């Protein structure tokens, strides 16, 4: 029995098909809150971009042997897993031994086949690939990808984009505003394109949100998270077990994988409204840019800032460190978008209000400063 889920975002669409309903159900849950995701008849989606993800250990072995049969290969870090990539005629073939997943991509047709040995890693991989298929279509259609969090004012769709390096406070800014009447559109990156004479349309890039234990505690959400786990609930399976243990123990001390990377709570998109009463938005129009910086020992305030949008704020091939286009889904377009699209988006955003703010771990004080800033935009 073949099950199928169709995903639509702006002008792009892809269908996920599988011999296991857990795979397509995962895509339905993961993308439904932010994109249009529906269960469909698998027999009716053969003419569009399609991701076929079957639990098929035999086919996994066949493709893995093909990759390793002496042809030229490249080792790529893809979604935190080592991927061995090769060519088979016009197809791109790859294997991820740590996940037990093999891939065959035919870029001109938009068809990508995954064979896995276990359903959960296959479901995660199929969702990643389907999202990349959407991105590839949108990039070719004139969209760009910004490394930004975003919130939307529900009354008029006005969208605030927040920029900064890791640790600058992009997620903190978005969640503080989303807890105070705005809708969460994205916590890490967004898809954008110029529309009309001056506007920039914004749609979400669905992903699990990584929230540090300290931030979760500051927002007052750690109790809810612990109760969710105690009742048998879970967070995204990429969450490290030490984070789950800390939540259950009521410990909000930050946990570190190494000196540069913090282990964090991994929140599903649909868990924001369900657990934390944070509403989600499905689109908006850019209205302002925020540039936060977190300083734990300084009072929250509006600060004088000269920060403007730069090339590194686009998720281009040079800055994309998680999902390089190894399967050719963008068909040669840079991961941040066409150069013309990025230039036009940058020019239009440069005309919008820019505000720099200093935040700390005092949630009421930081929220008050943010509300003061956005009310003036």
């Amino acid at each position: 029995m073949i099950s199928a889920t169709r995903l639509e975002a702006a002008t792009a669409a892809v269908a996920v098909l599988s011999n296991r309903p857990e795979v397509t159900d995962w895509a339905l849950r993961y993308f439904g809150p932010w994109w249009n995701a529906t269960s469909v008849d698998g027999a009716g989606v053969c003419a569009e971009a399609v991701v076929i993800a079957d639990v098929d250990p035999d086919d996994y072995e066949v493709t893995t042997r093909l990759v390793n049969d002496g042809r030229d290969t490249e080792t790529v870090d893809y979604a935190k897993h080592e991927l061995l990539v090769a060519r088979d005629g016009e197809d791109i073939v790859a294997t991820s031994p740590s996940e037990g997943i093999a891939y065959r991509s035919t870029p001109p047709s938009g068809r990508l086949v995954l064979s896995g040995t276990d359903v959960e890693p296959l479901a995660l991989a199929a969702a990643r690939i389907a999202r990349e298929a959407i991105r590839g279509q949108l990039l070719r259609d004139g969209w760009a990808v910004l490394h930004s969090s975003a919130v939307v004012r529900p009354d008029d769709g006005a969208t605030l984009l927040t920029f900064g390096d890791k640790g600058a406070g992009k997620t903190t800014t978005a969640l503080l505003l989303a807890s105070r009447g705005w809708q969460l559109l994205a916590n890490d990156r967004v898809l954008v394109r110029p529309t009309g004479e001056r506007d920039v349309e914004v749609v979400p890039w669905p992903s699990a949100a990584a929230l540090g234990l300290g931030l979760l505690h500051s927002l007052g959400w750690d109790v809810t998270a612990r109760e969710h786990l105690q009742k048998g609930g879970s967070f995204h399976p990429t969450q490290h077990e030490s984070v789950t243990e800390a939540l259950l123990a009521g410990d909000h001390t930050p946990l570190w994988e190494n000196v540069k990377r913090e282990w964090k709570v991994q929140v599903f998109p649909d868990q924001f409204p369900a657990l934390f009463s944070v509403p989600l938005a499905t689109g908006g129009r850019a209205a302002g840019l925020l540039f936060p910086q977190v300083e734990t020992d300084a009072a929250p305030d509006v600060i004088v800032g000269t920060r403007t949008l730069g090339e590194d704020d686009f998720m281009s091939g040079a800055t994309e460190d998680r999902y390089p286009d190894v399967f050719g889904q963008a068909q040669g377009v840079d991961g941040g978008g066409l150069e013309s699209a990025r230039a036009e988006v940058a020019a239009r955003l440069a005309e919008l209000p820019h505000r720099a703010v200093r935040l700390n771990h005092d949630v009421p004080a930081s929220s008050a400063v943010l509300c003061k800033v956005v009310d003036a935009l």
Side-chain angles (χ1 to χ4, degrees), residues 216 220-231 235 247 271 274-277:
L216 202 75
W221 295 355
D222 53 332
V223 174
T224 300
R226 182 167 64 254
E227 291 175 347
H228 173 66
L229 292 172
Q230 290 172 336
K231 293 176 181 178
F235 290 99
L247 284 172
Q271 289 179 327
L275 293 180
F276 306 123
S277 300

Side-chain angles (χ1 to χ4, degrees), residues 45-59:
V45 296
C46 59
E48 62 183 21
V50 61
V51 173
I52 302 172
D54 288 342
V55 174
D56 189 337
D58 291 339
D59 194 60

Side-chain angles (χ1 to χ4, degrees), residues 7-18:
L7 309 176
E8 296 177 336
T11 57
V14 64
V16 180
L17 286 76
S18 180

